[in-house]
Every structure is written in structure tokens, then in C-alpha cells.
Amino acid sequence: MSNPLVRKLERYVHLPEADRLCLAGSIGPERMVAARTDIIHEGDDPRAVNVILDGWACRYRQFANGRRQIVSLLLPGDLCDPHIFLLDEMDHTIGAITPVLLGQISGPALQAAVARSPQLDLAFHREALATAAIQREWTVSLGSRTGIERLAHLFCELHARLSAIGLADGQTCPMPITQNDLGDAMGQTSVHINRTLQELRGMGLITLRSRRLTIHNPAALARLAHFDVAYLHLTAENNRPVARQA
């Protein structure tokens, strides 16, 4: 299977073979990061762009008293911010949720690649804009969606993102995050998350078993969540927009 970063970027812009090879070749030596360990800490000097090649990670902020807020989930193919190397220090922590296979692209290598290729430059810009759009939807969820709508929306989003890079099997996709993780992302307790999961199951909308999520009625779940896939800004392989879930 091709590099997940290449697969992801190709959902925004068609990349010539030379660009795909250049991008894959720019990723430095890979390393494994154990589950529940930090990849890079708040305050560290971000000298390179981290790329999730396999596994799940998250961005989070943590208070001195241990309270944690997950602000985004990082899936295979996701960059831990393509411009992070321009900063003097990290303003958040990135932690592995599962074992993560991590690659790195140096700042100069990334700058050289986009300078050579207008298509790569466009792809990275579209990726950054899509990431910002995802962040806006998370803000909307925390501010305006009810508890059940938040969780339904997250499930719709994660399924769509995993489908885009070939990691969903029909309406079933990996879901290795715990109820505590979901609570930290949704601004709720794990007890509240457990009740919401039971409610979604009782409505016949989902099954969550053995770290796999199955969405039984995608249209109904999308309606419940007020989910419109358009904000992910994905394009199908034929460069036509992916059909919206209504």
C-alpha cells in the first residue's frame, strides 16, 4: 500500500508520479513510538515535521492538576503541522494513543519539495486549510452540539477521514480510542461518554466492539450529528467532490 501521506494529499490534488516519489523520499528514518507516550512535548523545539505513518495520535493540552483536553486526533497520513518547524517551541503536546510508526520531514526538505512542485505546494495548502476546517467543526461541537451530537459527529468525521485513505471497510473502521480519550476530546466525563454510546447503540446507529466501529445507518447518524462531509474538502479520485451525507 502506498505512503499514507501521499494517499491523503491525493484526495486534495492529483500528484504526478515524480511528486509522489519525491514526497515519499523526503520522509526520514522511521521510528516506533509506544502507545500512551508523548511524541513531542509542549515547550520542545520542533525541528522537523512529524508524519503519522501508522497508528493514532492526538494533540492535547494538560493542566498541572492532570486535566487534559484533546484538541485533535491524528490518523495515518496526518502531518503534525507542516509549518511547525517555523516556531521556536511547541505550544501543545502530541501523544501516541496506539503504537505509532512515525516519520519526519526536515523543514528544508519540505520547503525544497514545495518550491519545486506547484502541485505539492497546492496539496499542502489544501491540507492545512482542511485541518483548520476540522478544528472549526470541533469548536462548533464543543460550543453548540449536544453530547450525543458531538459523539455522532466525531464518528462520522473519523469514518470519512479513514475512508479517504483506504482504512475503512465499508461502514466499519478502526476505533482504538478509549472512553477516557473520547471524554477528553468531547469535554465530557467517561461516564457520560458511556451513556451516550449506549444511547447510540440503542438507536441502532452504531456498534463499537473490539476496537472497531460499525455505522449501521450513515445517513441517520449524519442527520443526528448535523454532519456535512464538505468541510473535509476531500475530492474523489476522479476529482469530483465526494457525495455529501445528508
Side-chain angles (χ1 to χ4, degrees):
M1 187 175 284
S2 63
N3 183 290
L5 174 59
V6 174
R7 295 202 305 275
K8 178 184 177 183
L9 292 180
E10 285 229 292
R11 295 307 305 268
Y12 303 125
V13 177
H14 173 71
L15 297 176
E17 179 67 13
D19 285 349
R20 295 196 295 270
L21 292 173
C22 172
L23 189 58
S26 297
I27 299 177
E30 301 170 359
R31 66 183 177 97
M32 286 298 303
V33 179
R36 305 296 163 181
T37 59
D38 290 334
I39 294 169
I40 187 167
H41 297 88
E42 183 176 348
D44 286 353
D45 183 355
R47 298 181 181 275
V49 179
N50 289 299
V51 184
I52 308 298
L53 299 176
D54 191 35
W56 288 40
C58 66
R59 305 179 199 271
Y60 72 89
R61 293 289 311 280
Q62 190 160 24
F63 296 130
N65 63 7
R67 283 187 297 152
R68 181 180 71 154
Q69 178 68 49
I70 291 176
V71 297
S72 64
L73 293 171
L74 300 168
L75 310 179
D78 283 348
L79 299 153
C80 303
D81 196 319
H83 308 295
I84 197 70
F85 62 91
L86 298 174
L87 298 178
D88 295 327
E89 64 178 49
M90 290 288 292
D91 56 21
H92 61 278
T93 299
I94 296 174
I97 293 175
T98 69
V100 166
L101 179 61
L102 192 72
Q104 285 191 328
I105 306 176
S106 72
L110 184 58
Q111 289 175 319
V114 298
R116 284 194 302 266
S117 168
Q119 288 296 94
L120 272 180
D121 186 47
L122 177 59
F124 277 112
H125 274 92
R126 290 200 65 179
E127 192 275 342
L129 290 168
T131 298
I134 291 171
Q135 206 68 63
R136 285 192 292 272
E137 279 299 317
W138 278 48
T139 301
V140 170
S141 283
L142 289 173
S144 298
R145 288 188 174 95
T146 66
I148 194 170
E149 290 168 352
R150 289 182 204 178
L151 196 55
H153 194 277
L154 181 65
F155 286 160
C156 288
E157 176 186 290
L158 291 174
H159 181 269
R161 290 169 61 189
L162 290 164
S163 295
I165 55 172
L167 294 181
D169 180 12
Q171 299 307 324
T172 299
C173 64
M175 194 58 57
I177 51 182
T178 67
Q179 291 184 20
N180 283 334
D181 295 329
L182 290 170
D184 288 347
M186 300 287 95
Q188 298 170 333
T189 66
S190 58
V191 172
H192 193 143
I193 293 294
N194 183 272
R195 290 174 183 155
T196 305
L197 286 170
Q198 291 182 38
E199 189 172 355
L200 288 170
R201 291 189 188 103
M203 296 167 70
L205 295 176
I206 68 156
T207 297
L208 185 58
R209 183 182 299 121
S210 301
R211 297 161 65 92
R212 304 280 293 176
L213 170 72
T214 299
I215 300 175
H216 298 296
N217 190 332
L221 191 68
R223 282 195 299 271
L224 172 63
H226 307 285
F227 176 77
D228 183 346
V229 75
Y231 75 93
L232 295 176
H233 300 291
L234 301 168
T235 54
E237 287 76 8
N238 59 8
N239 289 326
R240 290 182 302 185
V242 174
R244 298 187 181 188
Q245 299 181 43

